[in-house]
Amino acid sequence: MNAMPFGPGESREFQARLSARREVLREEVSEALQDIGPGSGADLSGQVHDLKDTSLAGMLTDMRLADMHRDIRELLDIDAALRRMQAGTYGICTDCGEPIPLSRLDAYPTAKRC
């Protein structure tokens, strides 16, 4: 396994970026859970009597759930990247063991592979 492709300053910058993004995603997931909870928009389909409204309410709930699932997957990727930082393996390709190019990490901070 080769050394990380960047220095301690860049490591702190990536850690700060990942931590900030994690907080944003946590907020979005929390809001989504409130939106789809009882008495919210998800409950709209039980209150309307028009099939179009019922369909729209279901579609809106499905879209919100899809957004929430995407956010949760990203949160899991961020947590894995932060664990790799702690282990000293962040920025190293999990397949070949070579450093991941800094430009790739800059564009995709949770990258596992080069």
Side-chain angles (χ1 to χ4, degrees):
M1 187 175 288
N2 294 322
M4 289 196 302
F6 47 82
E10 291 164 318
S11 178
R12 284 189 295 276
E13 179 185 330
F14 280 113
Q15 186 173 14
R17 284 177 55 194
L18 288 167
S19 296
R21 178 68 179 150
R22 182 173 56 179
E23 292 309 310
V24 168
L25 289 168
R26 284 181 176 175
E27 178 79 20
E28 289 178 9
V29 169
S30 178
E31 289 173 7
L33 288 171
Q34 290 174 3
D35 287 350
I36 61 174
S40 66
D43 210 25
L44 181 63
S45 63
Q47 298 174 15
V48 294
H49 302 290
D50 183 317
L51 289 178
K52 290 179 188 175
D53 291 341
T54 301
S55 178
L56 177 62
M59 183 184 72
L60 292 173
T61 299
D62 290 346
M63 288 174 53
R64 191 64 168 154
L65 283 170
D67 287 345
M68 186 176 67
H69 286 279
R70 183 199 62 234
D71 290 347
I72 290 170
R73 282 191 303 273
E74 188 177 349
L75 275 168
L76 292 172
D77 285 345
I78 288 170
D79 287 342
L82 291 171
R83 282 192 304 276
R84 288 193 304 277
M85 280 184 180
Q86 289 177 341
T89 59
Y90 179 77
I92 304 298
C93 179
T94 58
D95 288 344
C96 70
E98 293 295 317
I100 298 172
L102 193 55
S103 59
R104 175 160 169 72
L105 288 172
D106 192 44
Y108 183 51
T110 59
K112 299 175 202 109
R113 295 174 184 84
C114 58

